[in-house]
Structures are given as structure tokens and as C-alpha cells.
Amino acid sequence: MDTPFIAAEKFNPPGKITTIKTYGNGNVHDTFLVTLDSRTEEYFILQRLNPRVFRQPELVMQNIRTLTEHVRRRLQDVPLNAGRRWEIPRPLLTEEGRDLWIDPQRSFWRARSFINNARSYDTLRHAGHAREVGFALALFHNLINDLPIGQLADTLEGFHITPRYLQHFDRVLTVTSLKKSPEINYGLRSINRRRTWADVLEKARDQGRLHLRPIHGDPKVNNVLIDPSTQQAVSLVDLDTVKPGLIHYDIGDCLRSGCNPLGEETGQWESVRFELEYCRAMLQGYLPMARAFLLENDYAFLFEAVRLIAFELGLRFFTDYLEGNVYFKAASEEHNLIRALVQFKLTESIEDQSSDIQALIKDLR
């Protein structure tokens, strides 16, 4: 009996397990879809957490419990349009009432409920999809905006703090023997020419112009579930990175992931572009509800958020490539290098359209 099957059995499935298959294409955890012979719940999600990324899994689950309980209460007060549903994954418990199981190899496993009649997409399919992704993020932010950040642990210290990633890159670079190639040279140039504004969001926070809120931390397009029948967003999943942070991290990550039609896994990095019309549609979905919680200074840094988070992810991928692919899963030695080049090219495209993006933000306000 293999370990995923043993782990799945620990979470009291309401039926016989028939199959366990790998699921999704996440960069961090090992994820499985468990199928049951059951009339009540046919599926659930099983995950083996990556201890190199989340070194305190108990705190991750504590944050998820805090957030899900808060959202369930808030959903009673936030009216949704008739016919629209919104669900949040439910952590499943072991016989001992725990939301984590540790196997003999000291790997941490957890399980959550499966959201039926919903699927994710790695890239946007059309403008309507983009608006729904924007709406999903706005609804999520609206539901958690009044959750006191003191109730959330900082499970990833330094997460999205771009100057820290830059410092780490510099340390890695001093002990790495670089291969010479046009791709690596492009990556190095991309990093060095953007050093001067890598602290733009953190500086604004230090000055009191931006402030910490509860955030999702990783609201990529493929973390928004869409109901195929209604074409509406029904959930925002992958809550591991929920923590206190700047709301701009979420907005920037959502836009940089959605407005790249080729997706972050494309090998055609030289053809990557930031799609302005998708940006318009996503902000049309986000800003109407976001007006309830965005402040004047928040609007002033929206463009910087889009540019910075694209650059930051490229920096992280590039550094991980130099370190031997220790953080992000990689299918080949140069996988994270190509991922980095995609984000650097996307950053260039954002910068080339800076006046158009900023005018768009101003118009949609």
C-alpha cells in the first residue's frame, strides 16, 4: 500500500477509496485527487506539504482554520447576486480531530473538501473570464478585510518582500559559477537594471502610505475556480500563503498571471507580452467591489504592484535556478531559468505600456 493511499485513509473518507491520481500542476506541494465510492462526497483533495517551503505546517493550518471560519461568517452578511455561489474549501480531519497527519518519513499530509462543478485554467480564455477572476479576488478581499491581522501567523517571513529576494540573489551569485549564455546574460541585465525601485512597495509601507492587511498571497489565475455551466467564479483556493501583507501583492500577482496569454510555463519567452485588454477586464471585475476597502494611496501604487510582482517572481525563479532548483519544482535543470525569462519579458512589456496601464487604472476608478 503506497503512502498517498495510507494518508488518504487517515482523513476518515466517507466511502471506499477507488483511485488516487496526481492533480494540478502546483510548483510547491504534491497534490492528489482522491476518488471515493460514496453518494455524499465523491472526491477530496490530498496534499503532501513541502517542508522546505512551509517549515511550520501547524501554523499554516491554523491560518487556514482562522480564515475559513471568518469567511463562513462573513458570507452571511455579504449578499451575492441571485444564482451566484461562493464556496471555500473545508479542511478535513483525522480520527484524532487533527488537520495534519505525519507519516513515518516525517512528511506532513492534509486534506480538504473538493468543490464540485468547478475547474481552474492556467491562462485566461476571454475577457469575461478575466472579469470573473478580478471579481473573485475582490470578493475574497472584501470577505477578509475585517479579519484582524493579529489573528494570522506570518508563516512565510519575507514573502513578497522584494528587497530581501534581491539580497538573497546577491548572496547566491557570489558563490555560484555561472555558465555563459545569452539567456543568463539577459536575466542578469533584467535584475540589475531594476534594482533601484525594488523597494517601492516596502518604502511606501515604511512611510505609512500603505498598510498591512490579510492577503491570499498567491491569487494566480489557476487558483480561481470557474463553474463551467455559469462561467462564474465560485472559489479562490490554495490558502497556504494567507498571512498579513500588502494587498498590492495580491493585485499584482493576479494581474501579472492573468495578463500573460502564453502563461508562465511557456517556452516561448521572447514572445511573452502583457495583454492590456485582459488587464482592463480584470480591473473591471475587481474595482467596483474593491472601492469598499481601497484607500487613496492604494490606487497610487497599483501600477507599481503589477510591475514589481512580475519582476519579483522572475528574480525568485532565476535565483532558484542558480541554487539548483531547491524551492520550485522543476522538470529540467533549466526549467526555472526559462520561467524567470518569461517573467522578465513580461516586466518589460508592462514597462513599455506603463502610460496606458496607468491611464486605464485612472479611468476605471
Side-chain angles (χ1 to χ4, degrees):
M1 187 179 297
D2 59 13
T3 305
F5 189 94
I6 296 172
E9 288 280 14
K10 296 293 182 179
F11 289 93
N12 286 319
K16 180 182 178 182
I17 296 174
T18 58
T19 61
I20 299 180
K21 298 180 179 179
T22 56
Y23 186 74
N25 56 0
N27 292 335
V28 177
H29 302 309
D30 297 321
T31 303
F32 305 89
L33 178 65
V34 182
T35 304
L36 304 173
D37 182 9
S38 169
R39 293 183 178 180
T40 55
E41 293 189 48
E42 188 178 358
Y43 307 102
F44 71 88
I45 299 295
L46 177 72
Q47 287 187 311
R48 176 168 46 207
L49 277 66
N50 185 336
R52 290 195 300 257
V53 177
F54 295 97
R55 298 181 180 181
Q56 296 178 293
E58 296 88 353
L59 291 182
V60 172
M61 297 309 298
Q62 176 184 302
N63 279 358
I64 291 175
R65 289 195 304 272
T66 298
L67 180 129
T68 54
E69 291 167 7
H70 183 84
V71 169
R72 290 185 194 285
R73 290 193 300 268
R74 287 279 286 124
L75 278 172
Q76 300 174 11
D77 304 323
V78 178
L80 299 177
N81 293 336
R84 180 182 280 277
R85 66 183 173 110
W86 184 262
E87 300 182 36
I88 190 162
R90 183 181 77 257
L92 305 184
L93 303 179
T94 65
E95 290 182 357
E96 296 78 20
R98 299 173 180 170
D99 47 26
L100 285 171
W101 177 69
I102 307 174
D103 69 21
Q105 287 72 44
R106 302 297 299 170
S107 293
F108 286 82
W109 295 80
R110 53 101 181 275
R112 67 165 174 83
S113 60
F114 183 79
I115 297 178
N116 290 306
N117 302 317
R119 62 162 299 182
S120 66
Y121 301 87
D122 288 333
T123 56
L124 293 174
R125 297 167 299 143
H126 46 68
H129 184 193
R131 277 189 291 273
E132 283 298 309
V133 169
F135 172 84
L137 183 60
L139 177 58
F140 183 85
H141 282 163
N142 196 3
L143 290 170
I144 68 172
N145 190 54
D146 61 342
L147 173 61
I149 59 173
Q151 295 183 18
L152 297 174
D154 190 346
T155 53
L156 287 170
E157 187 179 355
F159 187 55
H160 282 315
I161 310 297
T162 311
R164 291 197 188 185
Y165 292 125
L166 194 55
Q167 292 168 4
H168 180 59
F169 163 76
D170 287 336
R171 288 193 296 270
V172 171
L173 194 61
T174 61
V175 297
T176 303
S177 298
L178 281 178
K179 303 175 183 177
K180 298 293 184 179
S181 73
E183 292 78 14
I184 288 176
N185 289 338
Y186 173 75
L188 293 173
R189 288 196 306 272
S190 296
I191 293 170
N192 288 328
R193 70 176 51 165
R194 294 175 175 87
R195 287 177 175 273
T196 56
W197 54 260
D199 63 346
V200 59
L201 295 185
E202 298 312 309
K203 183 183 292 185
R205 177 188 158 194
D206 292 340
Q207 295 169 344
R209 302 177 70 187
L210 301 178
H211 62 279
L212 297 179
R213 293 181 169 105
I215 63 168
H216 181 281
D218 189 27
K220 297 184 295 187
V221 164
N222 61 7
N223 281 332
V224 176
L225 301 188
I226 302 291
D227 184 327
S229 60
T230 65
Q231 299 297 303
Q232 292 179 335
V234 296
S235 188
L236 180 55
V237 297
D238 196 1
L239 305 176
D240 294 334
T241 48
V242 165
K243 64 189 290 288
L246 297 179
I247 200 170
H248 295 72
Y249 303 154
D250 278 0
I251 299 169
D253 197 36
C254 193
L255 286 167
R256 70 102 206 138
S257 72
C259 299
N260 170 10
L262 293 181
E264 64 185 45
E265 293 294 335
T266 181
Q268 300 174 302
W269 65 269
E270 292 176 293
S271 300
V272 166
R273 73 181 193 283
F274 183 85
E275 179 54 62
L276 193 63
E277 289 310 306
Y278 280 170
C279 178
R280 180 190 305 276
M282 292 178 79
L283 289 175
Q284 285 173 338
Y286 182 82
L287 288 176
M289 181 173 289
R291 292 189 184 104
F293 53 83
L294 287 183
L295 305 175
E296 187 67 27
N297 280 335
D298 293 328
Y299 290 100
F301 288 92
L302 290 183
F303 169 75
E304 297 295 352
V306 183
R307 178 171 68 155
L308 183 67
I309 299 302
F311 167 67
E312 177 192 284
L313 186 57
L315 174 64
R316 293 173 64 199
F317 280 140
F318 196 84
T319 305
D320 200 38
Y321 164 72
L322 296 181
E323 288 192 286
N325 306 313
V326 297
Y327 186 99
F328 297 106
K329 289 182 183 178
S332 66
E333 182 182 349
E334 296 194 337
H335 191 174
N336 281 320
L337 172 61
I338 300 303
R339 285 168 165 163
L341 301 182
V342 168
Q343 296 304 317
F344 292 146
K345 193 67 176 178
L346 185 65
T347 306
E348 276 190 16
S349 181
I350 292 168
E351 292 168 341
D352 289 343
Q353 300 179 82
S354 62
S355 58
D356 292 333
I357 297 171
Q358 293 183 72
L360 176 59
I361 293 169
K362 183 179 179 180
D363 290 344
L364 291 177
R365 286 191 59 183

